[in-house]
Amino acid sequence: MLETIFKISFILVLFVLAYKLIFNSNKGLTVFEMHFKDGKLISHKGKIPEKFKQDCRALAKSDKLTMTVRCEKQGDIRLHVSANVGDNLTQQIRNLFPFEYYDKKITDNSKING
C-alpha cells in the first residue's frame, strides 16, 4: 500500500516537472509593459524610454487602440505587441522603439587591466 502511494506521488511529481518545463510561458526578463485602452495608457510597469512612451501614447490616441506592448530580454531585446493590432501599426511601433538603447555592450575593464 505504501509502495503504491510512493510510486503514484513520484509519477505525479514527474508530470508536474514536465508540464512546467514544456509550458513555461515566462522565458525572458520583462523590461517593461504598457497597457492601452481606447487610446489611453491605463497602466505600465518597468522603465520605459521617455520618447518611446510619448510616441506610443500619440499613436494609440490617434487610432483609439486597445493593446499591450511588452519588452522582454532573452539575451537580446524582444518587443511584443498584442495580436489585436494590425501589422502596419505593429511595424510603426517597432520603428519607434530604440533597440540600440538596449544593445549597448559593457566592457569589463578590470579584466583588461589585469
Side-chain angles (χ1 to χ4, degrees):
M1 176 73 181
L2 191 58
E3 291 178 6
T4 56
I5 292 174
F6 283 134
K7 288 179 184 178
I8 291 172
S9 63
F10 181 72
I11 291 171
L12 286 175
V13 167
L14 286 177
F15 277 125
V16 168
L17 286 174
Y19 180 82
K20 290 283 186 181
L21 289 174
I22 294 171
F23 297 109
N24 190 5
S25 63
N26 255 351
K27 294 182 180 178
L29 171 72
T30 302
V31 177
F32 68 81
E33 192 167 322
M34 296 188 297
H35 298 274
F36 293 92
K37 185 171 185 176
D38 297 325
K40 294 183 180 180
L41 182 65
I42 57 171
S43 70
H44 62 87
K45 65 179 180 179
K47 186 174 181 183
I48 306 166
E50 194 61 37
K51 175 112 173 75
F52 178 69
K53 184 178 177 181
Q54 291 172 353
D55 292 341
C56 274
R57 289 176 83 175
L59 186 65
K61 186 177 181 181
S62 67
D63 291 330
K64 299 282 187 191
L65 295 176
T66 299
M67 65 175 179
T68 300
V69 179
R70 187 175 69 246
C71 178
E72 290 183 350
K73 184 167 187 162
Q74 285 182 319
D76 57 341
I77 292 293
R78 293 180 179 231
L79 189 67
H80 301 279
V81 181
S82 58
N84 61 341
V85 179
D87 290 338
N88 58 345
L89 288 173
T90 301
Q91 188 60 48
Q92 287 179 11
I93 292 169
R94 288 185 184 281
N95 291 343
L96 293 172
F97 186 71
F99 284 101
E100 63 277 355
Y101 176 75
Y102 293 100
D103 289 337
K104 294 178 184 172
K105 302 290 183 191
I106 300 172
T107 59
D108 189 5
N109 291 331
S110 64
K111 292 182 181 178
I112 296 171
N113 294 334

